[in-house]
Amino acid sequence: MNLVRKIHKWASVIVGVQFLIWLGSGMYFNFMDHTKAAGHTYKVHQHPSLAWNTLALQEPADVLRQYKPSTTLSLIELAQKPYYLLNHQRGLYANFVNKHSLVDARTGLPVTLDVDFAKQLASASYNGPGEIVSATLLQPPIADLLKQKNPVWQVNFADEINTSVYVEADSGRIAGHSDDDKRLADFFLKLHFMDYANEGSFNSALMIVFAFIALWLSGTGLVWTIDLALRGQYKIKLFARKTTVKLFDRNQKSLGQVAFSNHKNLLDGLVEHNIILPSTCGGGGTCGRCRIMINQNVKSTAADLQHFSAFELEQGYRLACQHFSDDVEHMTLMDITDAKKYQLELVSSKFLSPFIKELRFTTQSKIPMRYKAGAFMRFFIPEASGCSVPLDVPELLQQDWQHIDRLNYQHGACSRSYSLAGIDDTTNELVFVIKLQSAKNPSVLPGIGSNYLGNLRIGDRVEALGPFEEFYASPGSDKTMVLVGAGSGMAPLKALIEEQLALHRNNKGDKPPRPLHFFYGARNENDVIYVDYFYELAKQYPHFHYYPVLSRPDKGWLGATGYAQHVLALNWQNVVEQGEPEFYLCGPKGLMDDTIRLLRDKGVPESNIAFDEFS
């Protein structure tokens, strides 16, 4: 099912993009001028002008005997003169492959349709203001006439819409007119009928394949929906009911019985009883940390299959975020944290860069929260409908917030995790550094969690779980500490640095300080946060080394350029000269992947690499 979901996701992207193309091209067809789109702006609709009964013409039978076998003979008028048109190979339609001969109906002599004759015929079919600028004999395929299978003369006129008249090279037939209006319509027709191979037809191989993709998408979507329904993933709040479940710890010690609402998954249901399981994905099933053991007969979800072996699944291992209490009689909690639910009140909110904000909260608890540097908290983001632009939003983000208003910003309740950006045991103040995730394009909404928190006013409150301690400094280690980060990945690294410097102050010189190297990447000087703070720390503590790196520096920048991981490679000898170092990473996926690859190439053991990954 997991593979099916992945294929379903990408197939839905393809279908979704083509649906938007259909929508856009369909709107164009509704509002276009059909006369212009047909290329008829300067087209003369010709009618016979000769009095045929007054003309002295060659006998048709004599003409047929004189020329090679023909299927038909027609008397036609070209440039107000009579001609016999003989067809030697007849196609089903005029634009299909045909073989013709032209014969002067008066003299019986063959006629060649040369460039001058083509220009004469094109001029007779044109009533616009332009003069002829060129005439070219073209072989199929013809860009403006994809269905035309016979050679044509393209006669171009110098007018405001770049009209071209096409004259069939062996029959003199006006094959069509084209201009900029028709070419635009043809472009939208290509998009609408998925004629990306320029076949001039909607009955293309690509359309057939796309139809099967759409059919498969509908089928897998139906199967997926039924599967979710059978596993109780669809819950209607109106019909929610309570279910009692027996709880045990990992040593099978009874924790009593608790009542769960079958409307909430087990992870969120436990929170209501102040039992917090570790989770960095907020219940999305991607981190695999909210492990429990329940009835073995409860069907495994795709997320369960991804994180547990067949043996573990048989024992009853499942993810709490993926299941509800309906079919659960007893539940063993494998990992219970000391985290708690807190009411946090915002006391400070300021932009550190055009896209990164520092938020300071206080807890409503009288006892200061204690946690290791690098910890994170899981914020509960309520459902939203509409929003207002923050008073302090920088000019660069004004357009983004106006875009949110235009899209009628709406989302359901969810949760997001953010790292604490400081370590302070003396107060109840918690510091977070959050990047406001902007919209990738005008049709989508920006980040839900970051923009909700960034829009809070001083005094507003929000619920959060934590702290969760999964990324922290090795206890008791005196190895050189190397920290590599970028953007809002600064947050846990800043806390780690402050923690190590505090330990050094408390030691009062009893032992040599632990060397610290901090490599931080940003795009330009406006994006470098806490720069003065870290420069001051580097002056105050000789064992702390700060390396700000810019990938798109301004002309006046005198520091390192490129990416943080590359500057780490250039300073490798400085880093390792005091012994085997430990590495702590936090930042975008590209930085994480490149840095881990570098460390493995340098032979750094996995045990000396810790990272806090985010997306």
Side-chain angles (χ1 to χ4, degrees):
M1 184 60 74
N2 194 38
L3 178 62
V4 171
R5 286 187 180 185
K6 287 183 179 179
I7 300 175
H8 184 95
K9 178 180 73 173
W10 290 110
S12 65
V13 170
I14 295 171
V15 171
V17 170
Q18 184 57 45
F19 175 78
L20 293 176
I21 292 174
W22 280 334
L23 189 63
S25 57
M27 291 290 291
Y28 166 79
F29 291 136
N30 275 286
F31 293 107
M32 71 180 184
D33 185 321
H34 292 272
T35 300
K36 291 182 177 180
H40 294 170
T41 302
Y42 294 129
K43 184 175 182 178
V44 174
H45 297 279
Q46 298 174 334
H47 301 282
S49 59
L50 295 177
W52 301 102
N53 59 351
T54 64
L55 301 176
L57 304 177
Q58 294 287 321
E59 285 294 328
D62 294 337
V63 174
L64 285 171
R65 281 193 296 270
Q66 185 177 354
Y67 294 92
K68 58 185 179 180
S70 305
T71 60
T72 61
L73 180 147
S74 304
L75 181 61
I76 64 172
E77 177 184 341
L78 296 176
Q80 297 183 331
K81 291 184 179 180
Y83 293 90
Y84 286 122
L85 179 67
L86 288 84
N87 184 289
H88 310 295
Q89 178 183 334
R90 186 176 181 83
L92 182 61
Y93 298 106
N95 56 284
F96 281 23
V97 175
N98 287 276
K99 301 295 182 184
H100 296 102
S101 293
L102 270 179
V103 177
D104 190 314
R106 289 173 174 172
T107 65
L109 298 176
V111 176
T112 301
L113 207 157
D114 58 12
V115 62
D116 292 329
F117 197 3
K119 289 181 179 179
Q120 186 181 1
L121 296 176
S123 296
S125 178
Y126 176 78
N127 63 0
E131 298 292 333
I132 293 176
V133 293
S134 65
T136 308
L137 181 63
L138 301 179
Q139 300 294 329
I142 314 299
D144 284 343
L145 303 172
L146 293 175
K147 294 183 179 181
Q148 176 65 30
K149 305 302 180 184
N150 303 295
V152 295
W153 285 98
Q154 181 192 50
V155 182
N156 298 317
F157 291 83
D159 56 34
E160 76 282 3
I161 55 175
N162 298 310
T163 301
S164 297
V165 178
Y166 293 92
V167 182
E168 203 164 60
D170 64 353
S171 70
R173 179 179 69 89
I174 300 299
H177 280 223
S178 188
D179 52 42
D180 288 344
D181 294 324
K182 183 177 183 299
R183 293 180 188 109
L184 180 63
D186 287 344
F187 172 74
F188 277 102
L189 196 66
K190 176 199 293 188
L191 296 181
H192 199 71
F193 289 120
M194 298 180 66
D195 185 25
Y196 301 125
N198 285 328
E199 297 178 9
S201 170
F202 68 88
N203 191 25
S204 63
L206 185 61
M207 177 67 87
I208 294 170
V209 170
F210 185 83
F212 277 106
I213 291 176
L215 181 62
W216 181 89
L217 188 67
S218 300
T220 55
L222 179 61
V223 171
W224 190 1
T225 301
I226 294 172
D227 177 63
L228 290 173
L230 291 175
R231 289 192 282 106
Q233 295 293 304
Y234 295 120
K235 300 292 182 181
I236 301 174
K237 190 177 268 188
L238 181 64
F239 303 110
R241 57 187 176 81
K242 294 284 187 178
T243 305
T244 301
V245 178
K246 297 177 182 178
L247 298 185
F248 300 87
D249 65 14
R250 63 186 310 150
N251 298 315
Q252 292 303 304
K253 179 182 177 182
S254 176
L255 300 176
Q257 294 187 126
V258 295
F260 289 90
S261 168
N262 68 341
H263 179 70
K264 291 187 175 181
N265 62 50
L266 295 174
L267 176 66
D268 291 336
L270 286 167
V271 171
E272 294 184 347
H273 297 282
N274 292 318
I275 300 173
I276 315 299
L277 300 184
S279 173
T280 56
C281 66
T286 57
C287 71
R289 299 184 181 183
C290 55
R291 302 183 308 149
I292 57 173
M293 284 183 66
I294 55 179
N295 315 23
Q296 294 91 332
N297 60 347
V298 174
K299 189 172 181 180
S300 304
T301 68
D304 294 328
L305 295 171
Q306 184 177 358
H307 292 288
F308 297 116
S309 66
F311 177 71
E312 289 173 323
L313 291 171
E314 189 177 345
Q315 287 185 300
Y317 279 87
R318 300 291 187 271
L319 295 178
C321 65
Q322 297 293 296
H323 296 276
F324 298 81
S325 60
D326 301 70
D327 302 320
V328 178
E329 299 173 359
H330 54 81
M331 176 167 48
T332 301
L333 310 178
M334 306 308 296
D335 299 288
I336 304 176
T337 71
D338 293 329
K340 294 179 175 59
K341 181 185 282 189
Y342 290 90
Q343 278 276 342
L344 305 184
E345 181 177 323
L346 185 68
V347 294
S348 173
S349 175
K350 65 179 181 180
F351 277 94
L352 303 176
S353 78
F355 293 94
I356 296 179
K357 226 178 184 188
E358 180 193 80
L359 304 177
R360 292 178 177 267
F361 295 90
T362 58
T363 66
Q364 302 305 299
S365 171
K366 296 181 180 180
I367 303 174
M369 183 188 297
R370 300 190 183 278
Y371 54 90
K372 296 177 183 177
F376 68 91
M377 296 193 74
R378 178 182 163 202
F379 284 82
F380 290 99
I381 311 300
E383 62 182 2
S385 178
C387 68
S388 57
V389 181
L391 298 175
D392 60 344
V393 68
E395 186 176 348
L396 285 172
L397 283 179
Q398 288 283 350
Q399 186 175 358
D400 213 38
W401 281 98
Q402 292 164 2
H403 161 68
I404 296 173
D405 279 341
R406 288 195 302 273
L407 287 180
N408 187 22
Y409 191 64
Q410 295 181 346
H411 63 77
C414 59
S415 64
R416 295 292 186 269
S417 296
Y418 296 98
S419 296
L420 287 144
I423 186 76
D424 187 354
D425 290 340
T426 61
T427 70
N428 286 349
E429 192 168 272
L430 306 175
V431 183
F432 297 88
V433 173
I434 296 175
K435 180 179 180 181
L436 303 182
Q437 297 292 341
S438 58
K440 299 299 183 183
N441 61 69
S443 64
V444 300
L445 292 169
I448 292 174
S450 62
N451 285 286
Y452 169 76
L453 295 176
N455 198 23
L456 292 176
R457 310 291 182 177
I458 302 301
D460 285 350
R461 294 185 179 185
V462 61
E463 285 189 335
L465 288 179
F468 296 97
E469 300 173 329
E470 299 182 7
F471 175 66
Y472 49 84
S474 298
S477 174
D478 58 359
K479 294 180 180 178
T480 298
M481 193 176 201
V482 182
L483 307 101
V484 185
S488 58
M490 159 83 72
L493 304 181
K494 174 176 174 287
L496 287 170
I497 292 168
E498 292 175 351
E499 181 184 58
Q500 294 303 310
L501 295 179
L503 288 173
H504 169 62
R505 290 194 301 270
N506 295 334
N507 286 334
K508 299 179 180 179
D510 293 342
K511 62 178 182 178
R514 183 180 190 182
L516 303 172
H517 295 266
F518 181 32
F519 296 85
Y520 178 73
R523 290 190 176 186
N524 52 54
E525 286 188 75
N526 288 332
D527 292 331
V528 183
I529 58 177
Y530 295 117
V531 59
D532 294 333
Y533 173 71
F534 284 112
Y535 274 134
E536 185 60 34
L537 289 181
K539 289 180 183 178
Q540 187 177 353
Y541 299 95
H543 63 287
F544 172 64
H545 309 278
Y546 176 47
Y547 308 81
V549 186
L550 301 186
S551 60
R552 300 179 187 176
D554 298 325
K555 292 182 179 179
W557 175 250
L558 301 177
T561 60
Y563 294 96
Q565 61 270 32
H566 300 156
V567 176
L568 166 61
L570 293 174
N571 288 271
W572 189 259
Q573 287 305 120
N574 294 337
V575 168
V576 300
E577 65 181 359
Q578 292 176 295
E580 184 182 77
E582 293 175 346
F583 295 86
Y584 297 84
L585 321 176
C586 186
K589 188 177 187 302
L591 175 139
M592 305 284 278
D593 292 345
D594 284 354
T595 307
I596 291 173
R597 193 179 302 115
L598 168 68
L599 300 183
R600 287 173 177 167
D601 291 343
K602 294 290 187 181
V604 177
E606 296 286 341
S607 59
N608 284 357
I609 304 174
F611 55 87
D612 186 8
E613 191 172 11
F614 69 90
S615 59

